[in-house]
Amino acid sequence: MSGFLEELLGEKLVTGGGEEVDVHSLGARGISLLGLYFGCSLSAPCAQLSGSLAAFYGRLRGDAAAGPGPGPGAGAGAGPGPGAVAAAEPEPRRRLEIVFVSSDQDQRQWQDFVRDMPWLALPYKEKHRKLKLWNKYRISNIPSLIFLDATTGKVVCRNGLLVIRDDPEGLEFPWGPKPFREVIAGPLLRNNGQSLESSSLEGSHVGVYFSAHWCPPCRSLTRVLVESYRKIKEAGQKFEIIFVSADRSEDSFKQYFSEMPWLAVPYTDEARRSRLNRLYGIQGIPTLIVLDPQGEVITRQGRVEVLNDEDCREFPWHPKPVLELSDSNAVQLNEGPCLVLFVDSEDDGESEAAKQLIQPIAEKIIAKYKAKEEEAPLLFFVAGEDDMTDSLRDYTNLPEAAPLLTILDMSARAKYVMDVEEITPAIVEAFVNDFLAEKLKPEPI
């Protein structure tokens, strides 16, 4: 366990009081679940979360484990005094530690913020490690709280904020993912009031649609999705969509649902709606998760796929190793480091040849991390010549050369550029491997 934790967090963490704690001691204490709390002192929602999280943390760990590290005299040889009752072993559900991963740019503000935290924090100076964690877990907003299995490193829950709200006593610890069939179990509605059991979904591809009437991008996507749904059904495909509402009132839900030809989780079933949000770690709307008939995720980027494939010819939208950069998928550039190969699109075959060049490397990287049940550390794109690509070049201050091989890390405001006359598979692979091994020197964006 300690090997994984040290690789993830480094050798030292700090307490709110500034004392160093060896990361390997977490393994010795039998920590089974690790929470990573991503936040910033300047964020009011983060300040609000810290209060409720402290109470949650204390309840789960118990009074005997309220502190984040073993105190003086708490070594293995320390025992109860004469006549004292030996403390009971903590229940497995109490074996939790949380580590704060800050995006603060001012050390004094960071110190003031962590001072009252009962858990641990990455040292302020570990800025590079913090950034790697933000990219590794694709954190797009704060506050965010994810839970990891402290032994394997696998993500147990991507939306810990809902855990605190829905399970404040920790009765469902350790909040591991449940099968979709189990989470969705119960009645589903059509907008005419008809009720169907979730068992009616068996054998179908399913789109789980997180959306709300108050959200303009949601309403825009819904209009396109209605047409996509109709085309897929008319083509004879077994496909159903389930609307999981984030509306602020039942009246808004009913108004919005009246526009939809598919199913919905009843608005009054807040617990089931919340469990679905937890299951898929929803951080923003609209989000469309597409599942295969066994309930396994095909893609989390259903929104992008629907907008890019209005004729639904590529349904059910299995992910492509290499994407052609477009207005609809450019938002993915903000999700983490992206390899972007810029080409001269005046040559009709150039983009396709570029995709074929990158694809074997992309497939190798994706397969390697999939075997570890982790998301790939890079997304792969080919960019032609259009207004969006020109804006991207201007924003990142890239030369006008083509072909141009780059890795862009928007969250770190960093770029890595290889401007060579000819780009070969060997050059791309070496570039990617050097990036992953942190051998490349970044340039600022």
Side-chain angles (χ1 to χ4, degrees):
M1 180 196 298
S2 59
F4 154 69
L5 291 174
E6 288 186 1
E7 181 181 347
L8 188 76
L9 303 172
E11 295 182 357
K12 301 284 186 182
L13 297 170
V14 294
T15 67
E19 298 175 9
E20 288 191 340
V21 174
D22 290 333
V23 169
H24 69 75
S25 71
L26 300 183
R29 286 160 48 205
I31 298 300
S32 64
L33 197 71
L34 176 69
L36 295 181
Y37 167 21
F38 296 86
C40 175
S41 67
L42 301 179
S43 163
C46 290
Q48 184 177 3
L49 172 65
S50 291
S52 57
L53 183 57
F56 176 82
Y57 177 83
R59 282 193 298 272
L60 260 70
R61 288 171 56 97
D63 292 338
V85 177
E89 277 293 308
E91 298 174 34
R93 74 182 184 89
R94 297 185 187 277
R95 291 181 180 150
L96 167 73
E97 188 53 87
I98 292 174
V99 175
F100 179 55
V101 185
S102 167
S103 60
D104 280 286
Q105 301 299 311
D106 182 285
Q107 187 166 5
R108 185 178 295 274
Q109 290 174 337
W110 174 82
Q111 286 174 330
D112 289 343
F113 194 52
V114 303
R115 183 174 292 123
D116 296 326
M117 290 181 175
W119 47 78
L120 300 168
L122 275 180
Y124 178 79
K125 64 183 179 182
E126 289 272 22
K127 292 187 176 182
H128 181 64
R129 188 176 297 278
K130 293 175 189 176
L131 189 58
K132 284 179 66 177
L133 289 171
W134 282 66
N135 283 335
K136 180 180 179 68
Y137 297 110
R138 304 280 168 87
I139 303 301
S140 59
N141 52 36
I142 57 173
S144 284
L145 176 64
I146 66 171
F147 291 112
L148 312 176
D149 183 306
T151 302
T152 65
K154 292 178 181 177
V155 175
V156 171
C157 177
R158 289 187 175 275
N159 199 331
L161 304 186
L162 289 179
V163 166
I164 297 170
R165 189 191 74 182
D166 297 346
D167 186 26
E169 301 301 323
L171 301 178
E172 297 178 32
F173 183 94
W175 312 296
K178 297 178 180 178
F180 169 72
R181 185 182 293 108
E182 181 179 335
V183 178
I184 196 62
L188 299 168
L189 299 179
R190 291 207 180 275
N191 61 15
N192 62 2
Q194 180 188 4
S195 177
L196 290 82
E197 280 302 314
S198 57
S199 57
S200 65
L201 300 171
E202 289 184 12
S204 296
H205 287 85
V206 175
V208 189
Y209 184 36
F210 299 86
S211 185
H213 187 261
W214 54 259
C215 161
C218 295
R219 296 198 303 273
S220 297
L221 179 61
T222 296
R223 288 191 287 271
V224 178
L225 190 55
V226 166
E227 288 304 307
S228 298
Y229 178 80
R230 180 183 59 78
K231 290 172 184 175
I232 294 167
K233 293 287 229 181
E234 287 177 353
Q237 299 268 18
K238 293 193 72 176
F239 179 53
E240 194 51 79
I241 294 175
I242 300 169
F243 171 41
V244 183
S245 172
D247 286 295
R248 293 164 179 160
S249 71
E250 189 167 9
D251 286 344
S252 293
F253 161 77
K254 289 178 178 177
Q255 179 184 351
Y256 192 28
F257 187 39
S258 69
E259 305 168 13
M260 301 176 181
W262 46 73
L263 301 170
V265 175
Y267 185 80
T268 53
D269 195 344
E270 187 175 352
R272 190 161 34 143
R273 290 191 287 124
S274 185
R275 286 196 297 271
L276 286 162
N277 273 272
R278 278 167 51 187
L279 179 63
Y280 298 114
I282 302 303
Q283 295 190 32
I285 55 174
T287 294
L288 177 65
I289 310 284
V290 181
L291 310 177
D292 68 17
Q294 290 72 47
E296 299 297 322
V297 173
I298 293 176
T299 180
R300 299 176 60 86
Q301 299 292 339
R303 174 190 184 185
V304 171
E305 299 293 354
V306 165
L307 294 175
N308 272 347
D309 182 27
E310 291 189 8
D311 292 329
C312 305
R313 292 173 180 165
E314 298 181 8
F315 175 82
W317 303 302
H318 288 279
K320 297 183 181 69
V322 183
L323 301 174
E324 192 156 347
L325 193 62
S326 67
D327 287 328
S328 58
N329 65 26
V331 66
Q332 293 177 255
L333 292 173
N334 296 312
E335 293 184 3
C338 298
L339 182 143
V340 184
L341 175 54
F342 292 86
V343 298
D344 180 359
S345 62
E346 290 180 2
D347 182 343
D348 290 339
E350 189 76 14
S351 290
E352 191 56 39
K355 281 194 271 189
Q356 294 301 319
L357 185 150
I358 295 175
Q359 185 154 325
I361 295 99
E363 288 175 341
K364 185 186 295 186
I365 295 293
I366 292 167
K368 176 182 176 181
Y369 284 85
K370 186 176 182 180
K372 298 192 288 184
E373 297 187 31
E374 294 182 13
E375 292 197 40
L378 273 174
L379 299 176
F380 296 83
F381 292 91
V382 168
E385 290 186 345
D386 55 30
D387 291 343
M388 193 274 298
T389 301
D390 289 344
S391 296
L392 179 60
R393 281 187 186 264
D394 290 343
Y395 177 73
T396 54
N397 197 26
L398 289 170
E400 292 297 322
L404 182 69
L405 184 62
T406 69
I407 291 175
L408 304 178
D409 188 346
M410 296 301 193
S411 59
R413 297 189 62 80
K415 63 186 177 185
Y416 306 82
V417 182
M418 179 166 283
D419 187 0
V420 293
E421 195 166 312
E422 183 181 3
I423 295 174
T424 66
I427 285 174
V428 175
E429 187 160 16
F431 186 55
V432 168
N433 289 338
D434 285 349
F435 170 77
L436 296 177
E438 300 183 15
K439 293 181 179 179
L440 301 180
K441 184 177 180 180
E443 301 174 44
I445 291 179

